[in-house]
Amino acid sequence: MEADDEILAAIEVAQAAQEPAEDSLAAAVSSPHAGAIEPERGERRLFYVEAIREAMDQELARDSRVVLLGEDVGKIGGLFGCSKGLQERHGRNRVRDTPISENAIINAAVGAALTGLRPIVELQFFDFVTHMMDGIVNQAAKLRFMLGGAVPMPLVVRGPQGGGIRLGAQHSQSLEVWFAHIPGLVVLAPSDPYDAKGLLAAAVRDDNPVIFLEHKLLYVNSQSAVPEANYIVPIGKAAIKRSGSDITIVATMAMVDVALSAARDLAAEGIEAEVIDPRTLRPLDTETILASVRKTSRCVVVHEAWKTYGFGAEISALIMEEAFDYLDAPVERIGMRGVPMPYNAELERLMIPNAQDVIAAVRRACEGGRP
């Protein structure tokens, strides 16, 4: 009877409420993001995995509501070592090994976020996010909106994606555009340890569901200066990794280093490329990208994911809609061919864009400009 009375009372409140206005929709989708001033990088250097681990360690210590969930994140320390030692420091209640069920993990995390915790979910491989799609897309991304913007959803889903280390078609995919397409989700894709630490801290503190992508090649290859202090990199702010005046290269994740390598070689030819790393794929820093294209009048977009329907298509459409009159050549897109990632080492290298692919696209754009 008490439950019946509660339901009837809720129905009466809903029936008496005013109809929602159209201008209330956008504000109900996502909570605002915190601003930040990025600190100097300093001298201390960390590898990408170390930066991820330090961010989680510091956030677990800073806020007792933060918990880490995932397969083998505790005793083993994660498949790639990102959570090594965290269970010993923070306890089994805060760093929890889970059953092998991604569907159960994400729904437990959604419930935890709704009841006041701030869960971080680790995927062993991001390909397994396919088992989490209902929890992410239909629950986490929409519950704040369905509840009128009144309930936060502080949840981070993080893990490794991408190819380059011979793990085959089911463990090497780049799936960022699936999530960048969904209102209510934040999608972060850091390309170096400094950004990885600061953006992961920002993700944990954000009141929205965050998809946090970590490229496996960056685990292996990326090292940079990282402050020891706890800090955040602002969500929604791109980084200009290299300044230039002749062409803009927009690159994501492991492709940022590829673009920078290409830019160094192009400089020897007298072509100065500006390299922009969006860092946040949703919300996207359109102002930085458009300002660069309006300056250089040319653009190449490079990402590892499949070219067709990829992130590069969104950037190209943005430039066509907002900066068409500034273009001296069509926007070039570089991405993987429309096939699953091969296991064969030579074929895998052939599928993943490289510096020579970027150089060729830049030359086409610079040579095919308006007379």
Side-chain angles (χ1 to χ4, degrees):
M1 287 297 293
E2 290 182 10
D4 290 342
D5 291 342
E6 187 175 348
I7 292 170
L8 291 173
I11 292 172
E12 290 180 6
V13 170
Q15 290 176 334
Q18 293 183 343
E19 292 292 326
E22 183 180 351
D23 59 9
S24 69
L25 294 177
V29 176
S30 298
S31 297
H33 310 294
I37 298 175
E38 298 178 42
E40 295 294 328
R41 294 183 177 236
E43 301 295 330
R44 188 186 68 137
R45 298 182 68 81
L46 291 182
F47 286 101
Y48 198 98
V49 167
E50 294 172 320
I52 293 292
R53 185 189 307 130
E54 186 167 271
M56 292 194 292
D57 188 17
Q58 291 179 345
E59 289 304 301
L60 283 160
R62 186 190 62 84
D63 189 340
S64 62
R65 298 172 297 172
V66 177
V67 293
L68 174 61
L69 311 173
E71 298 160 8
D72 296 326
V73 298
K75 185 177 181 180
I76 292 176
L79 191 63
F80 290 90
C82 290
S83 59
K84 188 175 182 180
L86 296 186
Q87 189 177 77
E88 288 85 347
R89 280 195 288 279
H90 301 283
R92 296 178 64 181
N93 285 336
R94 305 282 307 286
V95 180
R96 292 184 171 231
D97 288 311
T98 65
I100 304 175
S101 174
E102 284 77 14
N103 182 47
I105 296 167
I106 189 60
N107 284 291
V110 169
L114 281 173
T115 53
L117 296 179
R118 306 185 79 85
I120 306 168
V121 170
E122 176 173 303
L123 281 159
Q124 289 190 332
F125 294 96
F126 218 84
D127 311 69
F128 301 156
V129 79
T130 52
H131 299 288
M132 293 184 168
M133 292 303 284
D134 181 69
I136 294 173
V137 174
N138 283 330
Q139 308 303 327
K142 295 179 174 64
L143 283 173
R144 183 180 192 275
F145 179 79
M146 294 169 67
L147 296 170
V151 177
M153 179 56 66
L155 165 65
V156 179
V157 179
R158 50 158 292 272
Q161 74 159 27
I165 61 172
R166 293 194 68 199
L167 290 173
Q170 296 174 331
H171 296 75
S172 304
Q173 298 170 92
S174 297
L175 303 174
E176 60 268 21
V177 291
W178 286 8
F179 303 102
H181 184 65
I182 304 298
L185 295 181
V186 174
V187 183
L188 305 181
S191 68
D192 65 29
Y194 174 90
D195 287 340
K197 178 181 174 181
L199 280 173
L200 184 51
V204 173
R205 301 180 200 185
D206 202 63
D207 282 334
N208 300 291
V210 178
I211 305 299
F212 193 92
L213 302 167
E214 304 158 15
H215 198 287
K216 291 190 284 289
L217 277 182
L218 298 177
Y219 281 170
V220 176
N221 297 329
S222 186
Q223 185 187 42
S224 70
V226 179
E228 186 172 356
N230 201 337
Y231 66 93
I232 68 171
V233 168
I235 291 172
K237 181 62 178 174
I240 300 175
K241 298 292 188 179
R242 185 186 191 277
S243 296
S245 57
D246 296 321
I247 191 165
T248 299
I249 304 175
V250 180
T252 61
M253 289 176 278
M255 292 297 105
V256 174
D257 284 341
V258 169
L260 289 170
S261 176
R264 289 190 291 270
D265 290 344
L266 288 163
E269 303 177 17
I271 300 173
E272 292 296 335
E274 183 152 285
V275 178
I276 295 178
D277 175 7
R279 301 193 294 191
T280 301
L281 307 187
R282 186 182 184 113
L284 182 65
D285 182 359
T286 59
E287 293 181 5
T288 295
I289 295 170
L290 291 172
S292 179
V293 172
R294 288 167 181 152
K295 176 178 69 174
T296 66
S297 299
R298 295 173 174 86
C299 184
V300 170
V301 189
V302 55
H303 52 72
E304 184 178 308
W306 295 295
K307 176 181 175 181
T308 306
Y309 307 109
F311 181 68
E314 180 66 23
I315 299 298
S316 179
L318 168 71
I319 293 168
M320 293 295 289
E321 291 169 358
E322 302 293 338
F324 177 78
D325 290 340
Y326 293 84
L327 289 177
D328 286 339
V331 176
E332 293 267 355
R333 291 182 293 145
I334 303 172
M336 187 174 153
R337 301 181 201 176
V339 298
M341 186 69 77
Y343 176 72
N344 177 271
E346 184 174 346
L347 289 176
E348 182 182 45
R349 285 193 295 271
L350 186 64
M351 291 299 105
I352 297 173
N354 57 43
Q356 291 306 310
D357 296 326
V358 177
I359 289 170
V362 168
R363 287 173 179 161
R364 287 193 299 270
C366 290
E367 294 168 2
R370 298 174 185 172

